[in-house]
Amino acid sequence: MRLSLLFAATISALVTFAAARSAAEAPAPAAIARAEQEAGALIADRIDRIRSDRLPHAPKLAPSGDLTVIARARSSAMAHGAPFSHKDATGKYPVVDMVEARLGHYGFIGENLFMEKRPRGRFDPKAFAKLAVEEWMASEEHRENILSPDFDRSGIGVAVKGDVAYATQVFHGPATRR
C-alpha cells in the first residue's frame, strides 16, 4: 500500500511538473496578441514602402478600422479551422460579404492570405511579416492587389495558433465613376 501511494505521488508530481513546464513554454495570450499586432503593423509598413517605391503617384493605403476587424476575423477563422481559402465551404467569398455588410455594396474589394507553418518555436513577428510580403509580391494576383491604384485603404489581421500563423490583408477602394 505504501509503495503504491509513493508511486502515485511520484506520477502526480511528474504530471504536474510537465504541465507547468508546458505552460511556461507556451507564450501567454497577451504576448501572442501583441506579437500578432506587431506583425500586422510590420506588414503594413512593408506594403507602404513597396507602394511608394513602385507607384509614387498612387494613394497611400490608409488604415481602416473596419477592414482590420474583417482581416482579423478572417485570420482567426482560419486559425480555428475555416479553410485556408478565399472561398468558404459553400463557394462564397466571405470577405466580400463582410466588407459589404460594413461598407456597402460599392467599391473595389481585394484580399491577400498567407499561412506559415513553423517548426516548434516562438512566433517571430519580423520574420513572419517579411516572409508574408515576399510571398505576396512573388504571386501575380497578390502583387496586383498590393499595387492596384484602385485601393486606397486596407486592414491587416494576423492570427497565431500553435505552430501555424495566418495573415490577411483586406483592400477596399471607392467605386469609380465612368
Side-chain angles (χ1 to χ4, degrees), residues 8-38:
T10 303
I11 295 298
S12 176
L14 289 174
V15 170
T16 303
F17 174 75
R21 187 172 149 210
S22 293
E25 290 175 0
I32 293 171
R34 281 191 302 274
E36 290 169 345
Q37 290 175 354
E38 179 184 354

Side-chain angles (χ1 to χ4, degrees), residues 3-158:
L3 181 60
S4 63
L5 285 177
L6 180 61
F7 180 73
T10 303
I11 295 298
S12 176
L14 289 174
V15 170
T16 303
F17 174 75
R21 187 172 149 210
S22 293
E25 290 175 0
I32 293 171
R34 281 191 302 274
E36 290 169 345
Q37 290 175 354
E38 179 184 354
L42 291 167
I43 290 170
D45 289 344
R46 286 179 171 280
I47 297 292
D48 284 345
R49 278 185 272 141
I50 289 168
R51 279 179 64 98
S52 68
D53 288 348
R54 296 193 184 189
L55 300 169
H57 303 297
K60 183 177 179 179
L61 291 173
S64 164
D66 286 327
L67 298 177
T68 298
V69 167
I70 293 167
R72 285 181 180 158
R74 291 281 292 134
S75 288
S76 180
M78 289 181 286
H80 290 91
F84 176 69
S85 174
H86 297 287
K87 293 181 182 180
D88 64 15
T90 66
K92 289 187 172 188
Y93 294 90
V95 72
V96 172
D97 294 337
M98 295 167 89
V99 170
E100 288 180 349
R102 283 185 171 265
L103 302 175
H105 297 284
Y106 303 101
F108 293 97
I109 301 170
E111 177 183 58
N112 285 352
L113 302 176
F114 176 73
M115 175 181 65
E116 177 191 35
K117 290 185 179 181
R118 302 178 318 283
R120 186 175 163 101
R122 293 213 179 263
F123 174 70
D124 181 347
K126 291 177 185 170
F128 178 78
K130 181 178 186 289
L131 185 59
V133 175
E134 286 174 353
E135 292 293 323
W136 285 339
M137 290 303 292
S139 159
E140 184 176 345
E141 295 85 5
H142 294 97
R143 184 174 55 250
E144 286 175 3
N145 281 342
I146 290 169
L147 298 178
S148 175
D150 293 329
F151 299 128
D152 62 0
R153 59 196 152 190
S154 80
I156 299 167
V158 174

